[in-house]
C-alpha cells in the first residue's frame, strides 16, 4: 500500500534516498540543498537509515568522499548547489571518468556573481560535459521517483556512471506537494543490492585512476562516451520498469498537447508546470501551441527530440542560463545544433529568463509566444536570443 | 622502541614488495624508497588513496602499475577525503553484513604539496572527523613533479624554480617551512610521527604504530629528492641522515599528545653540514645560514621541552 503525503520536496527526496538504503552520504551545506541533507542526517541519527553520514569540510571533499566510498562498492549519495558544484567541479569529472555510480541531487541555483541563492540553471550547465547521466525533474513526485530510479540506472553494470538529478532550488526544494511514497515492496522489487563492477578491497589488488598517457587518453575518452551513449537504453528500459510498478511513465522528451501544434515551447525542470498552464490558456484562445519538456539532458535524446518537433514550425527554447559571448542560451544552442540536419527544421527562438529566481509567469510565457509569433522584436529570429524582461 | 631492533632486525622486515620495482622515479629517489618501506610495514591488508604527484605519476602509467595492493588516485588535493570515503564505505558495508570483517588499513598519501598546500583542507577535515585512517606525507620540500616549484614546505633559503634569483631578489625562500606535524598534533589526533627512509627500521615501526592506532594517525616522512635538492643521486640516504643529525628534521612521535624524541641524546651537528652539500642552498648568505641555524635550534629545543628532556 502506498501513501500520498503532503510533504516538502526536499524531505521527500531524502526519504527516497533513505528507501534506497544508501550506505554513505557525504555533503557540505549550501542553500537551497540543505533540507535534503539535514533530513538524511536526522534519519541516520534516529536509526531509520543505516548509513555513514559524513559532514565534510567542503564540496570538493563531499565528492571526493563519495568517490572513495563508491569505489569500495558502497551505495553513495551526495547533494549540492551552485557554488558548491563549482567547488567540486574537478571531482565531478573524475567520478564520471572513474565510472563510479554515485547519485547526486543538484538543487539548481544560479552561479555567482553577483551572489545569489535563487534558482536557475547556470550551475548545471557548468558540468554539462562531465560525462555523467543528467536529468531534470518537474515536480515533487518526479523528484521522489527519480531519487530511487537514479541508483538503479547508475549501478547497472552496463552503465556504472554517476547520475545527477536536477531539481530547481526553492521552486521544488522548498515547496510542499502531495507525493506518493513508494511501498517498501516496490523498492525491494525495483532496486537490487549494488554489485559493483570493481571494488577497492584488500582481497584484490586493483589500480584505479591510473595515469593516461597520450597513447591511451583518446581511447579512454571514447570508451567513456560510448558508455554514456549506451546508458540511454538502460535509462529507457528502467523508466518502463518503474512505470510498470508505479503507474508513472517517464520519457526523455515529455510532450504536452503537442498534437498538430505549430509552435512548441521547450523547457527544463519545474518551468514545465507553468508552461503547461500557458499552453492550456493559449489553446483555449485557439492558438496552435504545445510544450516539450526536456527531461533527459545527458545522454542527449537526439532521436526523441527530432520525433517530437516533427511538423512544428517554431520552437521557443527557454534558457535559464547564459553562455556569455556564445550563440544563444546553452539549451537553445544545443537544440539548434540537434535540429540542423532536419529537412524542414523549425525556426528556433530563444529566451533567456528566470535568472536567479526571477518569476516567469503565465503572462510572461504568453508574451514570449506573442513576440515569437509576430516577430515584434527584431532580435527574435533564428540564431539570435533575447534576455526576456531585462530592464535596459 | 629502537632497542629490540638489534643487528638482526632487518631480517624481520617483510620481504614481500607491495610497491614493486619498475616504476619510473628518478635515480636515488628517497621518496620511492619511503613508499616501498611503508608498503612493507603495512602488508597486504591496505587500501591506498594517493594524491596526484611524483609517486602517482611514476607508478601508474596505464597499462602499468607498481602497486600490489588496492590503490586509488583521483585528484591532487583530496587524498585524505577520498581515504575517509573508503573508510566510511567499508565500515558501512561491514556493518550491514555485505562485506566480511577484515582488518584493513586505510592509507591516504600525498607529497608536501598535496598535504601542506592544496590538500591541507581535506586533510584537516578528515583528521578532525576522526576517521579510522592514517595519512602519510612524503615531504620532498617542493613541487618536484611539476619541476621544483616552491611549496609551503620549502625550507628557508632553498632555491626553487619559482623562487628564482633576480635583479632585486637573491632567489631564496624567505619563509620558514610550515610545521605540518605540529599542526596535526593540534588536531588532537592519537598518533603523529616524523620519519625518514635513512632510518628504515624506525620508519617501519612508526608506520605500523600509526596503522594500529584507532582513529586518525599522521606520519610525516622527509623524502630526499636528489633532482630537486641538487645532490648526487647516491647521496640521498646520507643527506637524510644529516637532516636528522643536524636537527633540521627531528625524529619524534606524539602519542595521545605526549611527545617522545626518537633519539634522546643527539649531539646536534651544525646545520651548515646539511646545507652545504645541497645545490638548492648554494651561495646562501651567511646571515641566512645563521637564521636557519637559529630556527633549527629553537625548534629542536622546543621539542626537547615538550618531550620533558629539557
Amino acid at each position: 500500500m502506498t501513501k500520498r503525503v503532503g510533504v516538502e520536496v526536499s524531505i521527500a527526496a531524502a526519504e527516497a534516498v533513505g528507501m534506497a538504503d544508501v550506505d554513505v552520504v557525504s555533503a557540505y551545506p549550501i542553500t537551497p540543498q540543505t533540507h535534503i541533507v539535514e533530513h538524511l542526517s536526522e534519519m541516520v541519527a534516529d536509526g531509520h537509515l543505516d548509513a555513514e553520514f559524513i559532514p565534510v569540510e567542503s564540496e570538493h571533499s563531499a565528492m571526493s568522499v563519495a568517490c572513495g566510498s563508491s569505489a569500495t562498492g558502497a551505495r553513495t549519495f551526495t547533494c549540492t548547489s551552485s557554488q558548491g558544484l563549482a567547488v567540486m567541479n574537478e571531482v565531478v569529472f573524475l567520478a564520471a571518468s572513474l565510472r563510479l555510480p554515485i547519485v547526486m541531487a543538484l538543487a539548481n541555483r544560479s552561479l555567482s556573481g553577483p551572489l545569489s541563492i535563487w534558482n536557475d540553471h547556470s550551475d548545471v550547465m557548468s558540468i554539462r560535459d562531465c560525462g555523467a547521466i543528467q536529468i531534470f525533474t518537474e515536480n515533487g513526485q518526479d523528484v521522489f521517483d527519480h531519487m530511487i530510479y537514479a541508483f538503479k540506472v547508475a549501478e547497472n553494470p552496463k552503465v556504472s556512471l554517476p547520475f545527477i538529478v536536477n531539481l530547481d532550488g526553492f521552486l521544488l526544494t522548498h515547496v510542499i506537494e502531495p507525493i506518493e511514497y513508494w511501498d517498501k515492496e516496490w523498492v525491494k522489487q525495483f532496486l537490487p543490492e549494488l554489485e559493483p563492477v570493481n571494488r577497492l578491497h584488500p582481497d584484490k589488488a586493483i589500480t584505479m585512476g591510473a595515469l593516461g598517457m597520450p597513447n591511451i587518453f583518446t581511447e579512454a575518452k571514447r570508451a567513456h562516451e560510448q558508455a554514456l551513449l549506451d546508458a540511454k537504453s538502460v535509462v529507457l528500459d528502467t523508466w518502463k520498469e518503474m512505470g510498470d510498478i508505479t503507474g508513472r511513465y517517464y520519457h526523455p522528451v515529455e510532450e504536452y498537447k503537442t498534437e498538430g501544434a505549430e509552435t512548441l515551447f521547450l523547457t527544463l525542470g519545474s518551468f514545465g508546470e507553468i508552461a503547461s498552464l500557458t499552453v492550456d490558456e493559449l489553446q483555449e484562445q485557439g492558438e496552435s501551441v504545445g510544450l516539450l519538456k526536456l527531461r533527459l539532458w545527458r545522454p542527449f535524446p537526439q532521436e526523441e527530440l527530432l520525433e517530437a518537433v516533427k511538423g512544428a514550425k517554431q520552437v521557443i527554447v527557454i534558457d535559464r542560463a547564459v553562455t556569455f559571448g556564445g550563440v544563444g542560451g546553452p539549451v537553445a544552442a544545443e537544440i539548434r545544433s540537434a535540429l540542423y540536419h532536419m529537412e524542414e527544421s523549425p525556426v528556433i527562438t530563444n529566451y533567456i529568463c528566470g535568472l536567479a529566481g526571477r518569476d516567469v509567469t503565465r503572462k510572461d510565457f504568453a508574451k514570449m509566444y506573442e513576440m515569437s509569433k509576430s516577430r515584434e522584436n527584431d532580435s527574435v529570429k533564428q540564431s539570435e536570443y533575447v534576455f526576456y524582461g531585462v530592464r535596459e | 622502541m629502537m632497542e629490540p631492533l638489534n643487528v638482526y632486525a632487518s631480517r624481520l622486515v617483510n620481504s614481500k614488495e607491495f610497491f614493486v620495482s619498475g616504476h619510473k622515479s628518478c635515480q636515488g629517489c628517497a621518496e620511492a624508497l619511503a613508499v616501498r618501506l611503508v608498503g612493507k610495514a603495512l602488508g597486504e591488508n591496505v587500501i591506498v588513496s594517493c594524491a596526484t604527484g611524483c609517486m602517482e605519476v611514476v607508478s601508474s602509467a596505464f597499462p602499468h602499475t607498481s602497486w600490489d595492493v588496492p590503490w586509488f588516485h583521483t585528484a591532487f588535493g583530496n587524498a585524505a577525503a577520498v581515504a575517509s570515503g573508503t573508510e566510511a564505505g567499508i565500515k558501512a558495508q561491514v556493518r550491514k553484513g555485505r562485506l566480511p570483517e577484515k582488518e584493513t588499513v586505510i592509507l591516504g598519501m600525498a607529497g608536501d604539496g598535496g598535504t601542506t598546500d592544496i590538500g591541507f583542507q581535506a586533510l584537516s577535515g578528515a583528521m578532525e572527523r576522526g576517521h579510522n585512517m592514517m595519512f602519510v606525507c612524503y615531504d620532498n620540500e617542493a613541487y618536484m613533479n611539476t619541476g621544483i616549484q616552491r611549496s609551503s614546505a620549502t625550507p628557508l633559503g632553498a632555491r626553487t624554480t619559482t623562487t628564482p634569483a633576480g635583479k632585486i631578489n637573491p632567489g631564496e625562500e624567505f619563509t620558514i617551512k610550515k610545521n605540518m606535524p605540529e599542526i596535526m598534533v593540534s588536531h588532537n589526533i592519537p598518533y603523529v610521527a616524523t620519519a625518514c627512509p635513512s632510518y628504515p627500521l624506525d620508519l617501519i615501526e612508526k608506520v605500523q604504530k600509526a596503522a594500529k592506532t584507532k582513529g586518525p594517525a599522521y606520519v610525516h616522512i622527509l623524502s630526499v629528492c636528489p633532482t630537486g635538492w641538487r645532490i648526487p643521486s647516491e647521496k640521498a640516504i646520507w643527506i637524510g641522515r644529516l637532516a636528522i643529525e643536524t636537527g633540521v628534521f627531528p625524529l619524534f612521535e606524539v602519542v595521545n599528545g605526549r611527545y617522545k624524541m626518537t633519539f634522546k641524546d643527539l649531539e646536534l651537528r651544525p646545520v651548515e653540514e646539511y646545507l652545504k652539500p645541497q645545490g638548492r642552498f648554494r651561495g646562501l648568505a651567511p646571515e641566512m645560514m645563521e637564521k636557519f641555524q637559529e630556527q633549527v635550534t629553537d625548534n629542536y629545543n622546543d621539542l626537547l621541552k615538550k618531550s620533558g628532556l629539557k
Side-chain angles (χ1 to χ4, degrees):
Chain A
M1 272 298 284
T2 60
K3 53 174 182 173
R4 215 181 228 313
V5 287
V7 63
E8 190 188 279
V9 173
S10 285
I11 307 298
E15 287 285 338
V17 172
M19 287 188 105
D21 192 26
V22 70
D23 297 317
V24 175
V25 176
S26 64
Y28 186 84
I30 181 165
T31 305
Q33 148 266 40
T34 41
H35 292 183
I36 300 174
V37 292
E38 281 170 10
H39 191 66
L40 276 164
S41 71
E42 279 168 28
M43 290 162 74
V44 172
D46 287 338
H48 298 319
L49 172 61
D50 186 3
E52 291 293 309
F53 184 89
I54 316 289
V56 285
E57 82 300 329
S58 82
E59 284 90 352
H60 193 278
S61 285
M63 190 48 96
S64 299
V65 166
C67 285
S69 156
S70 183
T72 68
R75 182 167 286 164
T76 305
F77 176 78
T78 186
C79 184
T80 193
S81 290
S82 174
Q83 307 307 114
L85 182 69
V87 170
M88 69 164 65
N89 184 288
E90 68 161 338
V91 200
V92 177
F93 282 70
L94 288 163
S97 71
L98 286 160
R99 307 282 303 273
L100 297 172
I102 297 161
V103 170
M104 174 159 78
L106 183 56
N108 301 121
R109 159 182 156 181
S110 49
L111 210 50
S112 302
L115 177 66
S116 159
I117 59 165
W118 291 279
N119 163 240
D120 66 36
H121 294 157
S122 47
D123 55 2
V124 55
M125 292 305 157
S126 73
I127 52 146
R128 188 186 62 182
D129 300 331
C130 71
I133 299 171
Q134 301 171 52
I135 62 155
F136 283 87
T137 52
E138 191 184 334
N139 55 46
Q141 188 66 58
D142 200 335
V143 171
F144 186 94
D145 291 345
H146 282 99
M147 281 301 154
I148 300 170
Y149 166 89
F151 287 104
K152 169 120 169 163
V153 174
E155 294 168 3
N156 186 311
K158 279 189 248 165
V159 177
S160 200
L161 283 168
F163 196 121
I164 298 168
V165 180
N166 288 283
L167 67 157
D168 283 323
F170 295 112
L171 295 188
L172 280 181
T173 56
H174 285 55
V175 297
I176 293 171
E177 287 189 23
I179 294 171
E180 183 188 40
Y181 278 20
W182 286 28
D183 190 284
K184 276 194 182 131
E185 281 305 308
W186 287 10
V187 184
K188 221 170 151 188
Q189 186 189 339
F190 180 71
L191 187 63
E193 264 191 17
L194 169 55
E195 292 288 341
V197 180
N198 278 308
R199 155 182 277 151
L200 280 179
H201 191 272
D203 285 352
K204 194 179 170 199
I206 56 167
T207 290
M208 286 176 82
L211 169 71
M213 298 295 278
N215 66 347
I216 200 70
F217 190 86
T218 310
E219 286 68 25
K221 288 293 165 191
R222 177 72 189 95
H224 183 176
E225 155 97 340
Q226 195 58 48
L228 186 61
L229 295 175
D230 290 347
K232 192 174 152 195
S233 66
V234 178
V235 164
L236 298 180
D237 292 348
T238 311
W239 266 330
K240 169 81 170 57
E241 201 182 320
M242 179 163 71
D244 290 344
I245 295 172
T246 64
R248 287 179 292 275
Y249 291 90
Y250 296 101
H251 309 93
V253 182
E254 302 285 357
E255 300 185 28
Y256 182 77
K257 298 190 175 175
T258 56
E259 190 71 28
E262 284 183 9
T263 298
L264 296 170
F265 280 108
L266 187 142
T267 61
L268 267 63
S270 63
F271 267 25
E273 302 270 300
I274 195 87
S276 65
L277 294 174
T278 314
V279 165
D280 290 348
E281 286 177 0
L282 290 172
Q283 285 199 357
E284 270 169 37
Q285 293 160 24
E287 299 293 337
S288 178
V289 59
L291 168 66
L292 301 178
K293 297 176 281 195
L294 196 62
R295 177 182 299 284
L296 184 61
W297 178 229
R298 285 292 183 276
F300 190 82
Q302 170 89 1
E303 228 174 283
E304 289 82 355
L305 181 76
L306 287 178
E307 193 54 40
V309 301
K310 207 179 267 176
K313 296 206 170 101
Q314 177 161 242
V315 180
I316 303 174
V317 180
I318 308 295
D319 257 298
R320 305 199 54 209
V322 186
T323 308
F324 293 105
V327 289
V331 182
E334 201 134 321
I335 300 289
R336 195 176 286 126
S337 162
L339 303 187
Y340 183 75
H341 291 292
M342 261 183 106
E343 267 178 28
E344 284 174 55
S345 66
V347 171
I348 289 169
T349 54
N350 181 205
Y351 297 91
I352 291 169
C353 60
L355 298 186
R358 187 178 286 191
D359 271 347
V360 182
T361 63
R362 278 177 288 174
K363 242 187 220 166
D364 294 314
F365 276 102
K367 172 77 178 158
M368 286 186 260
Y369 174 73
E370 205 48 50
M371 284 166 74
S372 298
K373 198 178 168 194
S374 63
R375 302 290 184 86
E376 73 172 40
N377 187 322
D378 279 348
S379 43
V380 184
K381 57 186 182 197
Q382 201 156 8
S383 302
E384 290 193 22
Y385 60 98
V386 173
F387 267 73
Y388 177 82
V390 70
R391 296 190 299 275
E392 290 185 288
Chain B
M1 287 291 286
M2 287 296 283
E3 293 80 17
L5 299 173
N6 58 25
V7 67
Y8 299 109
S10 60
R11 296 191 184 168
L12 300 173
V13 174
N14 195 344
S15 61
K16 195 163 184 285
E17 302 290 348
F18 299 96
F19 181 69
V20 302
S21 59
H23 58 73
K24 300 169 181 69
S25 73
C26 305
Q27 225 174 24
C29 173
E31 187 169 349
L33 176 60
V35 173
R36 180 181 164 214
L37 293 171
V38 169
K40 282 174 171 291
L42 297 177
E44 60 191 5
N45 287 340
V46 62
I47 298 175
V48 185
S49 159
C50 179
T52 309
C54 283
M55 288 305 105
E56 170 259 332
V57 168
V58 303
S59 70
S60 79
F62 187 87
H64 306 284
T65 182
S66 301
W67 295 92
D68 207 9
V69 287
W71 180 92
F72 191 32
H73 159 254
T74 59
F76 197 173
N78 66 353
V82 171
S84 72
T86 58
E87 186 248 13
I90 296 280
K91 194 170 158 189
Q93 290 179 92
V94 168
R95 191 173 62 228
K96 290 164 115 168
R98 288 213 299 278
L99 279 180
E101 230 171 300
K102 188 168 196 174
E103 286 270 313
T104 304
V105 179
I106 305 294
L107 169 69
M109 60 174 270
D112 48 296
T115 304
T116 68
D117 289 343
I118 197 168
F120 187 73
Q121 178 179 317
L123 175 61
S124 176
M127 295 288 112
E128 173 274 323
R129 290 193 299 272
H131 294 275
N132 190 16
M133 59 173 274
M134 59 180 288
F135 193 88
V136 175
C137 170
Y138 298 99
D139 179 6
N140 56 21
E141 305 197 314
Y143 290 94
M144 299 312 185
N145 185 43
T146 44
I148 324 170
Q149 294 85 10
R150 70 85 72 176
S151 79
S152 62
T154 301
L156 185 75
R159 286 210 173 81
T160 70
T161 53
T162 49
T163 47
K167 279 185 184 147
I168 57 164
N169 190 323
E172 284 156 3
E173 178 58 33
F174 286 103
T175 60
I176 291 167
K177 182 182 174 71
K178 188 186 276 184
N179 193 339
M180 201 60 197
E182 204 58 51
I183 293 168
M184 286 294 106
V185 172
S186 301
H187 280 68
N188 294 319
I189 58 176
Y191 189 80
V192 175
T194 61
C196 176
S198 298
Y199 297 84
L201 298 178
D202 175 61
L203 184 150
I204 288 172
E205 193 183 342
K206 283 169 174 166
V207 168
Q208 286 176 340
K209 274 191 193 173
K212 286 199 185 91
T213 302
K214 293 284 169 229
Y218 176 82
V219 183
H220 194 105
I221 301 180
L222 184 74
S223 309
V224 178
C225 170
T227 309
W229 294 14
R230 315 277 192 219
I231 57 164
S233 57
E234 74 276 14
K235 297 286 189 205
I237 303 299
W238 177 66
I239 288 286
R241 282 200 197 119
L242 277 174
I244 279 85
E245 289 169 7
T246 55
V248 168
F249 189 80
L251 292 183
F252 62 97
E253 56 185 352
V254 186
V255 185
N256 294 316
R258 289 168 71 169
Y259 285 72
K260 189 185 160 201
M261 298 299 275
T262 303
F263 297 115
K264 284 195 185 81
D265 309 308
L266 197 63
E267 279 291 323
L268 292 191
R269 300 163 75 156
V271 294
E272 199 180 341
E273 288 184 27
Y274 171 71
L275 301 175
K276 275 273 162 74
Q278 298 183 50
R280 62 176 175 158
F281 295 113
R282 188 170 298 142
L284 198 65
E287 58 270 26
M288 282 291 268
M289 197 90 84
E290 263 171 50
K291 198 177 162 191
F292 203 116
Q293 178 68 66
E294 208 173 288
Q295 182 239 324
V296 165
T297 311
D298 284 355
N299 182 47
Y300 201 81
N301 285 336
D302 187 43
L303 278 170
L304 289 177
K305 245 184 250 166
K306 284 175 176 165
S307 320
L309 294 174
K310 199 170 183 177

Short mmCIF file of all heavy atoms in Angstrom, two decimals, chain A residues 212-236:
data_model
loop_
_atom_site.label_atom_id
_atom_site.label_comp_id
_atom_site.label_asym_id
_atom_site.label_seq_id
_atom_site.Cartn_x
_atom_site.Cartn_y
_atom_site.Cartn_z
N GLY A 212 46.85 8.42 -17.66
CA GLY A 212 46.60 8.12 -19.07
C GLY A 212 47.52 8.91 -19.97
O GLY A 212 47.37 10.12 -20.13
N MET A 213 48.47 8.23 -20.56
CA MET A 213 49.40 8.90 -21.48
C MET A 213 48.66 9.15 -22.80
O MET A 213 47.61 8.57 -23.05
CB MET A 213 50.63 8.03 -21.69
CG MET A 213 51.44 7.78 -20.42
SD MET A 213 52.17 9.28 -19.73
CE MET A 213 53.63 9.43 -20.76
N PRO A 214 49.24 9.99 -23.67
CA PRO A 214 48.53 10.31 -24.93
C PRO A 214 48.18 9.08 -25.76
O PRO A 214 47.21 9.10 -26.52
CB PRO A 214 49.54 11.19 -25.68
CG PRO A 214 50.35 11.82 -24.61
CD PRO A 214 50.45 10.79 -23.52
N ASN A 215 48.91 8.00 -25.60
CA ASN A 215 48.62 6.80 -26.40
C ASN A 215 47.34 6.09 -25.97
O ASN A 215 46.89 5.17 -26.64
CB ASN A 215 49.82 5.83 -26.37
CG ASN A 215 50.07 5.27 -24.99
OD1 ASN A 215 49.53 5.76 -24.00
ND2 ASN A 215 50.88 4.23 -24.91
N ILE A 216 46.78 6.50 -24.83
CA ILE A 216 45.59 5.80 -24.35
C ILE A 216 44.46 6.77 -24.00
O ILE A 216 43.30 6.38 -23.86
CB ILE A 216 45.97 4.92 -23.11
CG1 ILE A 216 44.93 3.82 -22.87
CG2 ILE A 216 46.15 5.75 -21.86
CD1 ILE A 216 44.93 2.74 -23.92
N PHE A 217 44.78 8.05 -23.89
CA PHE A 217 43.81 9.03 -23.42
C PHE A 217 42.57 9.11 -24.31
O PHE A 217 41.43 9.07 -23.85
CB PHE A 217 44.46 10.41 -23.30
CG PHE A 217 43.61 11.42 -22.59
CD1 PHE A 217 43.63 11.52 -21.20
CD2 PHE A 217 42.77 12.26 -23.30
CE1 PHE A 217 42.83 12.44 -20.55
CE2 PHE A 217 41.96 13.19 -22.65
CZ PHE A 217 42.00 13.28 -21.27
N THR A 218 42.79 9.20 -25.62
CA THR A 218 41.66 9.30 -26.55
C THR A 218 40.77 8.08 -26.45
O THR A 218 39.54 8.19 -26.47
CB THR A 218 42.18 9.45 -28.00
OG1 THR A 218 43.15 10.49 -28.02
CG2 THR A 218 41.06 9.81 -28.96
N GLU A 219 41.37 6.92 -26.33
CA GLU A 219 40.61 5.67 -26.22
C GLU A 219 39.78 5.66 -24.93
O GLU A 219 38.63 5.19 -24.92
CB GLU A 219 41.55 4.46 -26.26
CG GLU A 219 42.13 4.15 -27.64
CD GLU A 219 43.11 5.19 -28.14
OE1 GLU A 219 43.70 5.91 -27.31
OE2 GLU A 219 43.27 5.32 -29.37
N ALA A 220 40.39 6.19 -23.85
CA ALA A 220 39.66 6.24 -22.58
C ALA A 220 38.43 7.15 -22.72
O ALA A 220 37.34 6.82 -22.25
CB ALA A 220 40.58 6.74 -21.47
N LYS A 221 38.62 8.29 -23.38
CA LYS A 221 37.51 9.23 -23.57
C LYS A 221 36.42 8.63 -24.45
O LYS A 221 35.23 8.78 -24.19
CB LYS A 221 38.01 10.54 -24.19
CG LYS A 221 38.81 11.39 -23.24
CD LYS A 221 37.95 11.93 -22.12
CE LYS A 221 38.79 12.45 -20.98
NZ LYS A 221 38.03 12.74 -19.77
N ARG A 222 36.86 7.96 -25.50
CA ARG A 222 35.90 7.35 -26.42
C ARG A 222 35.08 6.27 -25.71
O ARG A 222 33.87 6.16 -25.90
CB ARG A 222 36.67 6.75 -27.62
CG ARG A 222 35.81 6.03 -28.62
CD ARG A 222 34.96 7.00 -29.45
NE ARG A 222 34.00 6.25 -30.26
CZ ARG A 222 32.75 6.00 -29.87
NH1 ARG A 222 32.30 6.45 -28.71
NH2 ARG A 222 31.94 5.32 -30.65
N ALA A 223 35.76 5.48 -24.88
CA ALA A 223 35.07 4.42 -24.14
C ALA A 223 34.06 5.03 -23.17
O ALA A 223 32.95 4.51 -23.01
CB ALA A 223 36.09 3.56 -23.38
N HIS A 224 34.44 6.14 -22.56
CA HIS A 224 33.53 6.83 -21.62
C HIS A 224 32.30 7.34 -22.38
O HIS A 224 31.16 7.17 -21.94
CB HIS A 224 34.31 7.97 -20.95
CG HIS A 224 33.52 8.72 -19.92
ND1 HIS A 224 34.07 9.71 -19.16
CD2 HIS A 224 32.22 8.64 -19.54
CE1 HIS A 224 33.14 10.20 -18.35
NE2 HIS A 224 32.02 9.58 -18.57
N GLU A 225 32.56 7.95 -23.52
CA GLU A 225 31.46 8.48 -24.35
C GLU A 225 30.50 7.36 -24.74
O GLU A 225 29.29 7.49 -24.64
CB GLU A 225 32.06 9.15 -25.60
CG GLU A 225 31.13 9.22 -26.81
CD GLU A 225 30.39 10.53 -26.96
OE1 GLU A 225 30.28 11.26 -25.96
OE2 GLU A 225 29.93 10.81 -28.07
N GLN A 226 31.07 6.22 -25.14
CA GLN A 226 30.23 5.10 -25.55
C GLN A 226 29.40 4.59 -24.38
O GLN A 226 28.23 4.24 -24.54
CB GLN A 226 31.10 3.97 -26.14
CG GLN A 226 30.32 2.93 -26.92
CD GLN A 226 29.52 3.55 -28.08
OE1 GLN A 226 30.06 4.33 -28.85
NE2 GLN A 226 28.23 3.22 -28.18
N ALA A 227 30.02 4.57 -23.21
CA ALA A 227 29.30 4.12 -22.01
C ALA A 227 28.09 5.01 -21.74
O ALA A 227 27.00 4.53 -21.42
CB ALA A 227 30.23 4.12 -20.80
N LEU A 228 28.29 6.31 -21.91
CA LEU A 228 27.19 7.25 -21.67
C LEU A 228 26.10 7.08 -22.74
O LEU A 228 24.90 7.11 -22.43
CB LEU A 228 27.70 8.69 -21.63
CG LEU A 228 26.68 9.76 -21.25
CD1 LEU A 228 26.12 9.52 -19.86
CD2 LEU A 228 27.30 11.16 -21.32
N LEU A 229 26.52 6.90 -23.98
CA LEU A 229 25.54 6.69 -25.05
C LEU A 229 24.77 5.39 -24.82
O LEU A 229 23.54 5.33 -24.97
CB LEU A 229 26.24 6.66 -26.41
CG LEU A 229 26.91 7.97 -26.86
CD1 LEU A 229 27.67 7.77 -28.16
CD2 LEU A 229 25.90 9.10 -27.00
N ASP A 230 25.51 4.34 -24.43
CA ASP A 230 24.87 3.05 -24.20
C ASP A 230 23.92 3.09 -23.00
O ASP A 230 23.01 2.27 -22.89
CB ASP A 230 25.93 1.96 -23.96
CG ASP A 230 26.70 1.65 -25.24
OD1 ASP A 230 26.25 2.08 -26.32
OD2 ASP A 230 27.76 0.99 -25.16
N ALA A 231 24.19 4.05 -22.10
CA ALA A 231 23.34 4.16 -20.91
C ALA A 231 21.91 4.49 -21.29
O ALA A 231 20.98 4.21 -20.53
CB ALA A 231 23.90 5.21 -19.96
N LYS A 232 21.72 5.07 -22.46
CA LYS A 232 20.38 5.53 -22.83
C LYS A 232 19.36 4.39 -22.85
O LYS A 232 18.24 4.54 -22.36
CB LYS A 232 20.41 6.24 -24.18
CG LYS A 232 19.11 6.98 -24.44
CD LYS A 232 19.19 7.78 -25.71
CE LYS A 232 17.81 7.93 -26.31
NZ LYS A 232 17.86 8.38 -27.69
N SER A 233 19.76 3.25 -23.38
CA SER A 233 18.80 2.15 -23.44
C SER A 233 18.42 1.69 -22.03
O SER A 233 17.28 1.31 -21.77
CB SER A 233 19.36 0.99 -24.27
OG SER A 233 20.46 0.42 -23.62
N VAL A 234 19.39 1.75 -21.11
CA VAL A 234 19.09 1.38 -19.72
C VAL A 234 18.16 2.42 -19.10
O VAL A 234 17.22 2.08 -18.38
CB VAL A 234 20.40 1.25 -18.90
CG1 VAL A 234 20.09 0.91 -17.45
CG2 VAL A 234 21.32 0.20 -19.52
N VAL A 235 18.42 3.69 -19.42
CA VAL A 235 17.56 4.78 -18.93
C VAL A 235 16.11 4.52 -19.36
O VAL A 235 15.19 4.58 -18.55
CB VAL A 235 18.07 6.14 -19.47
CG1 VAL A 235 17.01 7.23 -19.32
CG2 VAL A 235 19.34 6.56 -18.76
N LEU A 236 15.93 4.19 -20.63
CA LEU A 236 14.58 3.97 -21.17
C LEU A 236 13.94 2.72 -20.57
O LEU A 236 12.79 2.75 -20.10
CB LEU A 236 14.63 3.85 -22.69
CG LEU A 236 15.15 5.08 -23.45
CD1 LEU A 236 15.14 4.82 -24.96
CD2 LEU A 236 14.35 6.33 -23.13
#
